[in-house]
Amino acid sequence: MDSKDFVSNAIKTESRNFDEIGSRMSEVRNQRLLHAGIGLATEAGEFLDALKKHVFYGKELDTVNLSEEMGDIFWYCALIADELKIDFSQVMDTNIAKLKARYGDKFSEDKAENRDLKTERTILEK
């Protein structure tokens, strides 16, 4: 397959209902969540870039920068929490409950591969 065929085939699977997409994007809730989602991806990328430079290029690990990127990630999480009207403490508690259901008191690869998604979903929905 050449690149023109690839592009031609790929765009067949694109969501092209731009009026509906535009309508959904006119909602402030979706704008805020998209802003936060893009921000999370950007800040996670910056965190990984700093780590990459240390691991692969031998640069000194800049823990101040990593901490700053972590703070930026938290900032975007705060936007999500505000928009979804959720409490950080509850999210943390629920996350730990889900992980305890998955792993018990200790991580194992088997438990990571063979998850009980129904039980985890029940915990998340409480």
Side-chain angles (χ1 to χ4, degrees):
M1 173 181 304
D2 66 23
S3 62
K4 286 183 182 181
D5 287 338
F6 180 83
V7 170
S8 175
N9 284 299
I11 63 173
K12 291 176 185 175
T13 62
E14 176 189 15
S15 174
R16 298 188 59 86
N17 192 343
F18 297 117
D19 289 337
E20 288 295 318
I21 294 167
S23 176
R24 289 190 293 270
M25 284 311 306
S26 70
E27 297 175 27
V28 171
R29 179 180 198 188
N30 293 336
Q31 293 169 11
R32 292 188 78 207
L33 292 172
L34 181 60
H35 177 206
I38 292 168
L40 284 172
T42 301
E43 298 303 335
E46 291 177 4
F47 184 95
L48 284 170
D49 189 54
L51 192 56
K52 173 197 75 178
K53 289 175 180 174
H54 170 65
V55 171
F56 296 103
Y57 306 155
K59 255 185 111 173
E60 184 175 335
L61 184 60
D62 187 349
T63 57
V64 171
N65 177 250
L66 293 178
S67 176
E68 186 241 339
E69 301 307 344
M70 185 176 167
D72 291 342
I73 289 168
F74 285 173
W75 189 88
Y76 285 108
C77 286
L79 291 185
I80 296 168
D82 181 63
E83 186 56 44
L84 298 181
K85 310 292 186 244
I86 56 178
D87 179 84
F88 270 161
S89 296
Q90 183 61 48
V91 171
M92 291 185 289
D93 290 343
T94 301
N95 182 260
I96 294 300
K98 175 195 75 174
L99 294 173
K100 283 184 178 182
R102 183 181 302 167
Y103 300 116
D105 290 329
K106 184 179 179 188
F107 172 85
S108 80
E109 291 179 4
D110 179 61
K111 290 177 182 177
E113 291 288 328
N114 299 296
R115 297 165 44 190
D116 180 352
L117 297 177
K118 185 176 179 183
T119 297
E120 289 183 19
R121 182 68 186 208
T122 299
I123 292 166
L124 295 171
E125 290 177 346
K126 285 183 184 177

